[in-house]
Amino acid sequence: MKDLDAISSKVSKGQNLNTHLEKYGRSMASLYHALSLIKLSMNYYTVCDIYYDTLDKKTYDNDLYAKFYNRFHICIQQYLANQMDIEQLKIMRQDVINLMNSVVSLIDQLRIYEYVMNRVEYRFKDKKEYPFDKEYYDTYLTSDVIHYIFSEKDNVVVNSKIAQIVGQLPMRLSKNRFFSYVREAFSLYHGAQKGSIDDFEYSIRSTAMLSVSKKQADHTAIDEHYFDEYKKIMDILANADYKTMDTAAYYKLDKELKIGIEKINNFSDNMVLLAQLVNDLYTAVLMEPYSIGSTTQTILAKEIISIINNQCFVSQTDGSSNNDIFYYRKSFEEIADKFVAFEGIQENILSIVEKNEYVLDDAWDIYKDKLEAFGVKELFESLKIVTKLQSGSDFVVLENDASYDEIPDNSYADTVCEHLIDDMQQAFKALGQPVKRAVMATVFSQLPVLFNNTDEIQNYINMSLIQCSDEAEQMAVVEILKSMMEG
């Protein structure tokens, strides 16, 4: 690996490609192989410990997660026995992505109701304990927010702050004005790739609590039963009367909301960890045939993975008792000592990979014909996939539909937008005003920044604050914005 910098330089300059392309590819494959196995062993340990902790305490229903977890165990067994079916791993990864789409949709819905509950909360607070500074709200809040937004000079940071702020301000736009902003946002996608337009529409649909079935069409059957519990919570939140509820009703509803948020966040965290495991196993399987050879670290990583797999999988399938779970946890503590051998290795590999990864794009873009001629095309195709698996975007799509990169006529973005607006208008008919405003505010925060200058931003903030006459919402907005500015 110490010669990789030199090899990368020669490939970049087009020197001796018949030998240097393969040397580069195999060196990168070896690095990714080692990195994925080390990460896999450590994350496998973590996930098993978390899983059995929840199983022991019974903090939530593990049925659905257990099904995915056991599928992964089987994949590990196949990998260790050199019988890995890559197609099975692909299917599992897609099932995890499909399931996560449902989870994200639920999280988006809970955020809408959290927004609503935050704005009625102060109706039930003791006014002596929580006095409202009306003068600050009317006179100084706007200037503080403007100062907060423009305290940074980086436009990306500024735009991010604007999005955060407008998502928390009182929503007082008329529906027509709101939809004109949505249309303006979609007009910015004229000339964009079809996939980018579709992804933007999907994010808005999820935020607006609309059907996103296009991206969820391949859900596994096990997913529906599990989410019944969340659907019950959603029904309670959707049917609540936020304008007339009394104190008892508020705190009962607040409890339901917090339970839903805690449970779905726990489930989401577990699915992210599982996705990372799948990505690392996928990487190891793809890179192993091209790796230069085993190292002390890769051998140890496989040993740890094998120990964990044998203990966890047996415990899950033989009806183990709580005593068995304790026994396996004790073994985990003994395994933990082995991770000392990996200290600093991940960081070292990542620094080398990041330094030399640029050559992969050069080789693919400039020397594509050479890759096939020199018999390394499949190696570089696998490397391209692995760079996505190891990109840090756990649910990244590895292969887009052929139409994803197409640039459609401008009418495509406009048509998508109008269908979206039609669906939002229809959905709004069934929503109470507090929920409808929450949806509009949250969607508005997802749109590209549409303000042209500081005056327009300041005018929008003033308009939002002035047109809000609900004191409980005013108090909530002050506290929310203060926490954002102070954080």
Side-chain angles (χ1 to χ4, degrees):
M1 299 306 158
K2 63 183 180 180
D3 298 324
L4 183 56
D5 288 354
I7 294 170
S8 295
S9 177
K10 289 177 180 178
V11 171
S12 187
K13 294 175 182 177
Q15 298 175 355
N16 300 326
L17 295 178
N18 58 324
T19 58
H20 288 136
L21 279 172
E22 182 176 4
K23 285 182 178 179
Y24 169 81
R26 286 172 66 84
S27 295
M28 290 292 284
S30 299
L31 289 167
Y32 276 123
H33 181 247
L35 178 66
S36 62
L37 284 176
I38 291 171
K39 287 169 59 187
L40 180 58
S41 66
M42 298 177 77
N43 287 338
Y44 199 21
Y45 169 90
T46 300
V47 169
C48 286
D49 198 34
I50 291 173
Y51 179 67
Y52 283 110
D53 185 53
T54 59
L55 201 74
D56 191 23
K57 295 179 180 177
K58 300 187 182 303
T59 54
Y60 65 92
D61 179 5
N62 290 275
D63 289 349
L64 181 59
Y65 188 62
K67 290 178 185 293
F68 277 87
Y69 192 73
N70 289 338
R71 283 173 65 183
F72 182 74
H73 273 312
I74 292 170
C75 289
I76 287 287
Q77 286 188 331
Q78 292 175 341
Y79 170 68
L80 293 172
N82 296 317
Q83 298 173 347
M84 183 72 248
D85 180 358
I86 193 70
E87 291 304 316
Q88 182 179 335
L89 195 56
K90 286 181 182 179
I91 292 170
M92 180 176 181
R93 185 175 187 274
Q94 189 58 52
D95 285 345
V96 172
I97 291 173
N98 291 339
L99 180 58
M100 196 62 184
N101 284 337
S102 277
V103 172
V104 169
S105 179
L106 286 169
I107 290 172
D108 283 342
Q109 292 178 57
L110 286 168
R111 283 175 179 163
I112 293 295
Y113 292 112
E114 185 178 33
Y115 178 103
V116 176
M117 291 292 284
N118 284 343
R119 277 148 184 76
V120 300
E121 176 184 5
Y122 285 88
R123 197 187 305 164
F124 310 103
K125 297 282 190 181
D126 187 328
K127 296 295 190 294
K128 292 181 180 179
E129 187 177 352
Y130 297 92
F132 179 46
D133 188 344
K134 184 75 164 107
E135 182 182 3
Y136 175 75
Y137 180 89
D138 290 337
T139 309
Y140 304 107
L141 180 55
T142 297
S143 60
D144 281 356
V145 171
I146 290 294
H147 176 74
Y148 164 73
I149 290 173
F150 294 101
S151 61
E152 302 278 352
K153 293 185 178 180
D154 187 325
N155 285 338
V156 174
V157 176
V158 170
N159 289 341
S160 174
K161 287 183 175 182
I162 292 172
Q164 292 173 350
I165 293 295
V166 300
Q168 295 300 331
L169 289 169
M171 171 50 64
R172 293 300 185 268
L173 290 175
S174 68
K175 283 194 296 182
N176 287 338
R177 183 61 182 139
F178 169 73
F179 289 133
S180 73
Y181 275 117
V182 175
R183 289 188 178 96
E184 189 176 346
F186 271 89
S187 73
L188 299 177
Y189 282 82
H190 288 170
Q193 294 174 325
K194 179 179 180 295
S196 297
I197 299 169
D198 291 344
D199 288 344
F200 180 56
E201 182 214 11
Y202 171 77
S203 67
I204 298 300
R205 281 187 170 276
S206 183
T207 299
M209 303 196 298
L210 299 175
S211 169
V212 287
S213 58
K214 178 170 61 176
K215 294 227 172 187
Q216 297 178 342
D218 298 325
H219 273 346
T220 52
I222 57 175
D223 151 291
E224 294 304 320
H225 171 70
Y226 181 86
F227 290 119
D228 283 348
E229 181 180 0
Y230 294 101
K231 289 173 184 175
K232 290 177 183 177
I233 294 175
M234 294 303 176
D235 286 342
I236 294 171
L237 292 166
N239 293 315
D241 187 344
Y242 295 95
K243 285 190 172 182
T244 63
M245 67 169 60
D246 59 18
T247 302
Y250 167 79
Y251 283 106
K252 182 179 180 181
L253 198 62
D254 185 56
K255 182 179 179 181
E256 292 286 351
L257 176 63
K258 287 176 179 174
I259 289 172
I261 290 173
E262 181 181 6
K263 288 169 71 85
I264 200 65
N265 283 342
N266 286 340
F267 188 79
S268 173
D269 291 344
N270 284 332
M271 292 308 295
V272 168
L273 285 169
L274 185 55
Q276 292 171 353
L277 286 177
V278 172
N279 288 344
D280 285 330
L281 179 57
Y282 203 150
T283 298
V285 171
L286 285 177
M287 295 292 92
E288 197 152 292
Y290 305 109
S291 179
I292 294 171
S294 298
T295 65
T296 303
Q297 286 81 19
T298 58
I299 292 170
L300 177 59
K302 278 191 175 183
E303 176 188 331
I304 293 171
I305 292 166
S306 179
I307 292 171
I308 296 173
N309 180 262
N310 289 335
Q311 293 173 353
C312 290
F313 193 67
V314 171
S315 71
Q316 182 60 30
T317 56
D318 68 359
S320 296
S321 66
N322 286 338
N323 288 333
D324 293 318
I325 293 170
F326 175 78
Y327 167 76
Y328 294 125
R329 281 209 188 120
K330 186 176 180 181
S331 296
F332 283 169
E333 291 173 5
E334 295 169 2
I335 291 172
D337 295 335
K338 298 178 182 292
F339 291 126
V340 174
F342 298 148
E343 190 172 337
I345 300 296
Q346 282 191 71
E347 294 77 7
N348 184 47
I349 292 176
L350 280 170
S351 67
I352 298 172
V353 165
E354 289 170 359
K355 187 177 181 181
N356 293 279
E357 207 170 38
Y358 74 98
V359 179
L360 182 59
D361 288 331
D362 287 349
W364 196 257
D365 295 338
I366 303 171
Y367 308 122
K368 197 169 186 178
D369 57 329
K370 303 290 186 184
L371 299 178
E372 190 160 6
F374 299 142
V376 292
K377 184 179 179 181
E378 289 187 3
L379 164 57
F380 276 77
E381 285 176 339
S382 295
L383 282 170
K384 289 288 282 184
I385 293 173
V386 164
T387 58
K388 291 184 178 181
L389 291 169
Q390 296 297 320
S391 67
S393 181
D394 301 317
F395 303 95
V396 65
V397 176
L398 301 181
E399 295 179 18
N400 284 310
D401 184 88
S403 65
Y404 187 92
D405 295 327
E406 293 177 2
I407 298 179
D409 185 85
N410 290 345
S411 61
Y412 180 76
D414 296 337
T415 301
V416 168
C417 178
E418 292 308 317
H419 287 161
L420 173 64
I421 288 175
D422 288 345
D423 288 348
M424 277 198 279
Q425 286 179 321
Q426 190 62 36
F428 283 173
K429 293 177 183 178
L431 300 178
Q433 189 181 62
V435 179
K436 182 173 64 178
R437 284 176 173 171
V439 170
M440 291 169 66
T442 310
V443 167
F444 195 60
S445 72
Q446 297 296 312
L447 302 180
V449 174
L450 301 172
F451 304 110
N452 295 312
N453 51 56
T454 305
D455 287 343
E456 287 189 10
I457 299 171
Q458 186 166 332
N459 289 338
Y460 179 80
I461 295 170
N462 277 329
M463 180 273 294
S464 297
L465 296 176
I466 291 170
Q467 293 188 11
C468 176
S469 58
D470 184 328
E471 187 176 281
E473 184 172 6
Q474 292 175 344
M475 293 173 70
V477 167
V478 170
E479 293 305 313
I480 292 168
L481 295 183
K482 275 186 174 180
S483 67
M484 290 172 60
M485 292 186 288
E486 292 169 1

